[in-house]
Amino acid sequence: MILTVTLNAALDLTYRVPHLVPHASHRVREVTERPGGKGLNVARVLGALGFRTTVTGFVGGETGRVLRALLAANAEAEAETEGAEGPAGGGTPRVTDALVQVAGRTRRTVGVVDETTGDTTQLNEPGPHITPEEWDGFLTVYRELLGRGPAAVALCGSLPPGVPVGAYATLVREARTARIPVLLDTSGEPLRRGLAARPDIVKPNAEELAGITGTAEPLRAARAAQRRGAHAVAASLGADGMLLVAQDGAWSAAVPERLAGNPTGAGDSAVAGLLSGLAEDLPWPDRLARAVALSAATVRSPVAGEFDEATYAQLLPSVRVRKAETP
């Protein structure tokens, strides 16, 4: 089992319109609802890859009720698939709900896809205010989940209002005390403080990495993040792929050609690739290749937290992994 933490979970709404025009009224062709937030997207991709996951974080209000109902519907579909095809059947998402109920309302995120250009406009609400008592209650649940011995933990996304800025540093230390590998995917001050707790992997994008290190060149910035505490740094470079710096080497990887589509959730799929490779104890270059192929295949999917399986199968053997040269 892999544990993913989404402190600022969301109900993701995706609207598809023929053409997005500012200041105009639009007729929506299709609406999709999904449990969202980075860690939930990661869990859904891991489930499609055949890994069982448990998700935790905060949930509340009517939006939170809908989110949990969607998770329960997925679990019911999984049970039906397993009954028909055995425990490994179907590639159905294998996600267990361990979310923590709070008084506030779970946020919504709205993605508007322009079908003419393929571009996506994203609108993200801030999330519920978390009280000190609710944060303490979450820590109790988190420690209990660590006690079940997950293969790895992913700490993903922004912090909702009220959560201490050093929250991820606390969660990293708890995982390391339990001797469970931990990946951190956040930004800004929570990332800066989280680094000092020595996570096994951090997964910023190039802009986030530059923001915490003051260095724009990705390889130098990744080395600087290592010196600040990360054991390994996997930096998303957008259409240029990904850079991975570990203690025993550095590599870059990219797909042969750029793919048009919706990039929302591509970074979350990359996290799923890194975690699944960690769970299988793959060499770093193989983990990197999987992360890049999954990220690119997600660009071809219309909604976050999903990837185009045919594209993934086609891309994985063609990912170019090279040793990264010291600048």
Side-chain angles (χ1 to χ4, degrees), residues 44-119:
R44 192 156 51 246
V45 173
L46 284 168
L49 291 171
F51 291 85
R52 293 193 177 276
T53 60
T54 295
V55 297
T56 191
F58 297 111
V59 69
E62 178 60 20
T63 311
R65 186 196 66 76
V66 174
L67 186 155
R68 298 189 97 156
L70 290 169
L71 285 176
N74 287 343
E76 183 177 348
E78 172 195 346
E80 291 176 357
T81 301
E82 290 185 352
E85 303 183 28
T92 307
R94 298 158 162 82
V95 178
T96 298
D97 177 356
L99 294 163
V100 176
Q101 192 75 27
V102 295
R105 181 178 63 82
T106 296
R107 67 188 180 126
R108 295 163 297 182
T109 66
V110 179
V112 183
V113 179
D114 185 324
E115 293 180 331
T116 301
T117 65
D119 293 336

Side-chain angles (χ1 to χ4, degrees), residues 272-287:
L274 293 168
L275 283 171
S276 62
L278 185 155
E280 294 178 353
D281 199 27
L282 296 179
W284 281 113
D286 292 345
R287 299 184 202 181

Side-chain angles (χ1 to χ4, degrees), residues 242 266 269-274 286-296 316:
M242 181 173 281
S269 291
V271 169
L274 293 168
D286 292 345
R287 299 184 202 181
L288 179 60
R290 181 180 290 181
V292 168
L294 280 170
S295 180
L316 184 58

